[in-house]
Amino acid sequence: MSKKIIATTSLAGCFGCHMSFLDIDERILKLVELVEFDKSPINDIKVFTRPVDIGIIEGGCCNSENIEVLKSFRENCKVLVSLGECAIMGGLPALRNGIPIEECLREAYLDGPTVSENKEQVLPNDPELPMLLDKVFPCHEIVKVDYFLPGCAPDADLIWNALVALVTGNEMELPYEVVKFD
Ligand code: SF4
């Protein structure tokens, strides 16, 4: 069986889902027999170098760069997986969705109790910075997503079993306990 090609990225997430991925421990040796990694923070390859079988997305979309990266994953990956609550529902970053963006920026950079080094009272405005979106969006509201792996972070066994199923063409099983919203 030829190896499947995998790519991963972290959008508006905390990298906890990637950490959980690495929690498959010694099974990572088995994983490299089954797959090769393309663009991913795991190997630090920053651009797609070939067509990818499985794209794994951590985090939702909070800025213009997230949208761009997510769309490039959809274009380059046959199958797209939302990994974790941030990718599936926006997660913790989406807690700002009920607050106007101006208020969020003022609290973070001007008025918040931990702001001490902004005497000029400027908001970050470098043109290189990606534009913040007014809301944090789950990935499937931007592009079509094929599979969803819930959890914060999803359990390493769940990630492993799902990956093996995808790579071997078997049906992915989601145990009842992991499909929950609390
Ligand atoms: Fe981090 Fe949890 Fe979001 Fe994963 S789902 S990126 S672990 S906050």
Side-chain angles (χ1 to χ4, degrees):
M1 186 175 71
S2 64
K3 288 185 180 180
K4 298 281 186 193
I5 310 298
I6 290 189
T8 77
T9 192
S10 179
L11 304 177
C14 74
F15 269 94
C17 289
H18 273 79
M19 291 297 114
S20 195
F21 190 166
L22 297 178
D23 270 348
I24 62 174
D25 297 329
E26 73 280 358
R27 286 172 290 186
I28 204 150
L29 299 174
K30 180 74 182 157
L31 186 67
V32 294
E33 288 174 14
L34 296 173
V35 306
E36 282 178 26
F37 281 89
D38 198 71
K39 174 179 162 64
S40 171
I42 292 173
N43 55 12
D44 209 25
I45 295 180
K46 301 198 187 301
V47 293
F48 288 105
T49 65
R50 53 196 152 167
V52 168
D53 295 299
I54 302 164
I56 299 175
I57 311 288
E58 166 190 307
C61 292
C62 76
N63 63 35
S64 54
E65 185 192 37
N66 295 157
I67 301 268
E68 204 178 298
V69 172
L70 179 58
K71 286 185 172 171
S72 79
F73 262 71
R74 183 65 278 179
E75 279 165 22
N76 286 280
C77 304
K78 285 186 205 139
V79 166
L80 212 54
V81 181
S82 271
L83 178 67
E85 300 306 334
C86 293
I88 295 173
M89 295 199 290
L92 286 176
L95 288 177
R96 76 164 164 90
N97 284 2
I99 303 168
I101 189 74
E102 295 83 359
E103 209 176 308
C104 293
L105 287 168
R106 287 200 67 85
E107 181 70 11
Y109 295 104
L110 304 179
D111 303 333
T114 57
V115 176
S116 59
E117 295 295 329
N118 192 1
K119 295 192 179 57
E120 287 83 24
Q121 294 278 286
V122 288
L123 293 174
N125 58 7
D126 191 299
E128 290 287 317
L129 290 173
M131 190 68 79
L132 273 186
L133 305 175
D134 62 343
K135 284 196 325 177
V136 178
F137 294 88
C139 294
H140 66 272
E141 289 190 12
I142 308 294
V143 299
K144 178 178 177 286
V145 172
D146 303 293
Y147 296 98
F148 301 83
L149 289 183
C152 178
D155 185 73
D157 290 339
L158 179 69
I159 297 172
W160 170 253
N161 291 335
L163 258 183
V164 170
L166 282 174
V167 165
T168 55
N170 289 315
E171 195 154 331
M172 188 191 294
E173 286 183 17
L174 278 186
Y176 178 75
E177 317 82 76
V178 306
V179 185
K180 58 181 192 278
F181 300 95
D182 57 357

